[in-house]
Amino acid sequence: MLKGTILIKILLTLIILSGYYVLEQGDFVYNPRKSTDAPYEPINKYLFKDKGVVSPLYLCFKVSKSIDSDFLAYYFKSDRWYRFIYENSDQGARHDRVSIKDSDFFKMTIPIPEIKEQQKIANFFRSLDKKNSE
């Protein structure tokens, strides 16, 4: 009976989670909701070692090995990102949400320097964050 109960729970979990995204450490998640920290939709890097699950309402993506994920995370906190989303998004009836079509999102061009330069830039911003938190 216990094995059957466990199997039913696993099957129900799979059915409930079908269509959801499974995140791994370093994946990015786009949130279409404005916040006090992000005047336009934030994109954040998933930092946890354990896998996570996200609703299909969120756009999730991975980056290639030729891109430093910390560099990209800082890019998505920049004025350039906010300008892009402002110019390319649609706002609906809700004041706290703007959205961008996946196809428009992936047309975005991001200036990507060589990997060593990306790492230097990310380290610079990381040191600023550290100083600001002291």
Side-chain angles (χ1 to χ4, degrees):
M1 183 69 174
L2 184 58
K3 284 184 181 179
T5 303
I6 292 172
L7 182 59
I8 290 171
K9 285 183 180 180
I10 291 171
L11 288 173
L12 284 173
T13 302
L14 291 173
I15 290 168
I16 291 168
L17 295 179
S18 65
Y20 279 63
Y21 299 112
V22 177
L23 296 174
E24 295 179 351
Q25 189 175 33
D27 291 350
F28 283 84
V29 180
Y30 160 71
N31 181 352
R33 191 165 204 164
K34 297 177 186 179
S35 73
T36 55
D37 292 336
Y40 295 99
E41 304 82 27
I43 294 181
N44 290 301
K45 188 167 81 166
Y46 185 73
L47 301 174
F48 301 101
K49 289 182 182 178
D50 293 333
K51 292 182 179 180
V53 178
V54 178
S55 161
L57 296 174
Y58 296 88
L59 172 68
C60 302
F61 59 96
K62 298 177 183 299
V63 296
S64 72
K65 300 278 186 215
S66 64
I67 298 176
D68 182 275
S69 62
D70 289 337
F71 166 81
L72 196 58
Y74 282 111
Y75 177 85
F76 287 125
K77 294 178 182 172
S78 73
D79 289 343
R80 186 174 279 200
W81 159 247
Y82 294 138
R83 188 174 338 114
F84 175 82
I85 197 70
Y86 176 78
E87 293 171 354
N88 293 281
S89 64
D90 301 315
Q91 188 156 354
R94 291 191 52 175
H95 74 284
D96 64 342
R97 288 186 187 267
V98 289
S99 64
I100 186 167
K101 295 174 190 72
D102 292 358
S103 59
D104 290 338
F105 178 85
F106 288 113
K107 287 179 187 173
M108 173 179 38
T109 56
I110 300 173
I112 305 288
E114 294 294 322
I115 190 74
K116 290 200 182 285
E117 189 66 22
Q118 294 175 47
Q119 292 165 342
K120 285 180 186 177
I121 292 167
N123 286 335
F124 172 76
F125 283 111
R126 194 177 299 110
S127 67
L128 286 179
D129 283 347
K130 188 175 178 180
K131 284 184 181 186
N132 286 336
S133 67
E134 292 176 351

